[in-house]
């Protein structure tokens, strides 16, 4: 995807989105949906022509390279289909946000990158030069932050644009806050 020239007449907001760790693809995470809805309600409001939303989904490579340990891989093509399946899942996730934007009349773009989410989000923010980066925040406690780390904190510190981190509402927090 090439960097598009920023339009001086619109505010470009980049949203980093991910799939639900509870429901999996194509469901958006609680934090991603919350960040999107907050952006629409609090920033865009009724000025739909004044904004362009840029959706980025980062697929983290599997640590061991295998998602389905029960699968049988007999041919080189089997590995290609696994990678294609991950891309397809990411596309279905982005389809949710693009469809919602079209329903309310907000311009948007969406794309998928692979790598460490916090690094890729900051690199893409530098490349795309949005006016604002919006990320969801699971609201982890200090111990969970040390274990799980937080993409939102990293982006606040390292992104080369203003960053808004949107916490989940208390009623949206699953039994295990690491879940999203």
């Amino acid at each position: 995807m090439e960097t598009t020239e920023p339009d001086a007449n619109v505010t470009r907001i980049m949203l980093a989105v991910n799939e639900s760790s509870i429901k999996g693809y194509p469901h958006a995470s609680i934090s991603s949906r919350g960040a999107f809805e907050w952006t629409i309600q609090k920033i865009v409001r009724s000025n739909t022509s004044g904004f362009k939303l840029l959706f980025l989904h980062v697929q983290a490579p599997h640590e061991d390279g295998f998602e389905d340990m029960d699968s049988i891989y007999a041919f080189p093509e089997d590995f290609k289909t696994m990678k294609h399946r991950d891309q397809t899942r990411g596309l279905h996730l982005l389809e949710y946000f693009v469809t919602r934007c079209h329903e309310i009349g907000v311009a948007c773009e969406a794309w998928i990158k692979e790598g460490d989410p916090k690094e890729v989000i900051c690199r893409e923010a530098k490349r795309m030069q949005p006016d604002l980066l919006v990320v969801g925040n699971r609201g982890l406690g200090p111990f969970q932050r040390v274990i799980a780390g937080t993409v939102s904190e990293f982006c606040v510190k390292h992104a080369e644009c203003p960053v808004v981190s949107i916490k989940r509402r208390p009623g949206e927090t699953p039994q295990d806050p690491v879940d999203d």
Side-chain angles (χ1 to χ4, degrees):
M1 176 175 177
E2 307 241 346
T3 303
T4 56
E5 281 298 313
D7 183 344
N9 297 326
V10 298
T11 300
R12 294 162 28 98
I13 301 174
M14 186 171 158
L15 289 104
V17 298
N18 63 314
E19 82 280 4
S20 170
S21 63
I22 300 168
K23 296 180 180 178
Y25 285 117
H27 304 281
S29 69
I30 297 165
S31 299
S32 294
R33 280 193 326 268
F36 172 72
E37 294 300 332
W38 181 89
T39 301
I40 296 300
Q41 293 169 8
K42 302 293 184 183
I43 298 178
V44 174
R45 298 178 183 233
S46 61
N47 184 16
T48 55
S49 63
F51 293 89
K52 183 171 193 175
L53 302 184
L54 309 171
F55 295 98
L56 169 63
H57 172 53
V58 181
Q59 291 180 327
H62 305 292
E63 288 181 22
D64 56 10
F66 296 95
E67 183 178 79
D68 299 319
M69 294 307 293
D70 293 332
S71 297
I72 296 172
Y73 304 96
F75 300 97
E77 295 78 27
D78 295 341
F79 296 95
K80 292 176 187 167
T81 60
M82 184 170 63
K83 185 172 180 119
H84 174 73
R85 182 185 61 217
D86 286 345
Q87 289 172 336
T88 301
R89 290 173 173 172
L91 289 174
H92 288 302
L93 170 70
L94 292 176
E95 181 181 24
Y96 167 79
F97 292 104
V98 170
T99 300
R100 289 280 291 121
C101 283
H102 282 266
E103 288 170 355
I104 58 179
V106 177
C108 67
E109 291 179 17
W111 67 102
I112 300 171
K113 291 287 186 178
E114 186 178 70
D116 179 352
K118 59 185 181 267
E119 300 281 342
V120 173
I121 292 166
C122 289
R123 185 175 62 242
E124 287 296 290
K126 182 177 183 176
R127 183 177 74 86
M128 295 299 290
Q129 301 177 358
D131 298 296
L132 179 67
L133 171 62
V134 177
V135 293
N137 181 328
R138 294 180 287 180
L140 301 178
F143 179 72
Q144 291 163 321
R145 279 197 306 261
V146 169
I147 301 300
T150 76
V151 172
S152 58
E153 285 180 352
F154 186 89
C155 291
V156 166
K157 291 178 184 173
H158 299 285
E160 295 184 13
C161 65
V163 179
V164 175
S165 175
I166 306 300
K167 289 184 183 181
R168 290 189 295 210
R169 288 182 235 137
E172 295 177 324
T173 303
Q175 189 170 4
D176 182 351
V178 173
D179 286 337
D180 197 28

